[in-house]
Amino acid sequence: MSVTAAFFYLFAGIMVASAFLVIASRNPVHSVLFLILAFVNAAGLFVLLGAEFLAMILIVVYVGAVAVLFLFVIMLLDVDFASLRQGVLQYLPIGGLVGAIFLIELVLVVTTFAVDPQLLAVEAPAAEAAIAATNTAALGSVLYTRYVYFFQLSGLILLVAMIGAIVLTLRERVGVKRQDAAQQAARTKEASIEVVKVRPREGV
């Protein structure tokens, strides 16, 4: 067994185990920590495949931002997870059915996987000549030239989702002062400033 294969089995085994522990852990903080571990091992698999840009994005974006945000939200919010777990058993048959379908699909993919002999027949110098640029440069060139409109559309969808999340969670609470931008913009000088004549030696 080569060193690359050994690292592949190491990263893949830890990633599968940590992914299972994400859904099996009772403590949500532990679930997020196992999710971070799964992301790190997935980044290791990307490095073995030669996709160092995807590995860096996975570490910077998902581990450094998304997973840490999940961790802060779970630790700061006072969520009653005991009440959320009530009634879980009634969804167990549907969840088991969906899980069995996914398992059958994975088994079919693994058992019917085959490698095209023509791909193995490609010479190494020809393959290296076809890729003149680095992985990151080639990905950026394709993303910002051929698929630039799809890239802009994905950003627009994320913007709409962010605005929708803010609107849905924006609730008025009793006893909490909030700013009214329209009322502040409509204020006049008479409503904002009051001129008081103070007599000498009397004060305000």
Side-chain angles (χ1 to χ4, degrees):
M1 181 183 296
S2 62
V3 178
T4 304
F7 275 106
F8 170 77
Y9 287 114
L10 176 64
F11 290 146
I14 296 177
M15 186 180 67
V16 172
S18 58
F20 175 76
L21 291 175
V22 169
I23 61 175
S25 299
R26 294 182 178 272
N27 193 338
V29 177
H30 295 167
S31 298
V32 176
L33 294 178
F34 284 123
L35 181 63
I36 294 175
L37 182 61
F39 284 153
V40 171
N41 287 276
L45 291 177
F46 280 130
V47 171
L48 293 179
L49 292 174
E52 67 279 355
F53 179 76
L54 295 179
M56 181 185 66
I57 291 297
L58 193 63
I59 293 295
V60 173
V61 177
Y62 285 92
V63 176
V66 177
V68 175
L69 179 62
F70 287 167
L71 185 60
F72 277 123
V73 169
I74 291 174
M75 294 179 67
L76 292 178
L77 293 181
D78 189 12
V79 181
D80 189 5
F81 293 98
S83 62
L84 293 177
R85 293 192 183 95
Q86 294 179 358
V88 177
L89 296 178
Q90 62 182 352
Y91 300 106
L92 186 60
I94 300 176
L97 179 62
V98 174
I101 293 174
F102 283 154
L103 180 62
I104 293 173
E105 291 179 353
L106 289 175
V107 171
L108 290 176
V109 169
V110 172
T111 54
T112 59
F113 178 76
V115 179
D116 190 0
Q118 295 180 359
L119 296 177
L120 299 177
V122 177
E123 298 180 358
E128 294 177 358
I131 305 176
T134 60
N135 185 15
T136 306
L139 183 61
S141 176
V142 173
L143 184 63
Y144 293 108
T145 55
R146 184 180 300 177
Y147 300 104
V148 62
Y149 295 109
F150 297 100
F151 182 76
Q152 295 293 334
L153 182 62
S154 63
L156 181 62
I157 292 173
L158 291 176
L159 177 62
V160 172
M162 182 184 67
I163 296 174
I166 294 174
V167 171
L168 291 176
T169 56
L170 191 63
R171 299 184 180 91
E172 295 185 0
R173 299 179 181 178
V174 180
V176 178
K177 295 182 178 180
R178 301 189 56 179
Q179 292 182 346
D180 191 351
Q183 184 179 2
Q184 290 178 351
R187 291 180 66 183
T188 60
K189 182 177 66 175
E190 291 76 11
S192 304
I193 302 175
E194 182 181 357
V195 180
V196 180
K197 292 183 179 181
V198 181
R199 295 180 180 182
R201 298 180 182 180
E202 290 186 0
V204 180

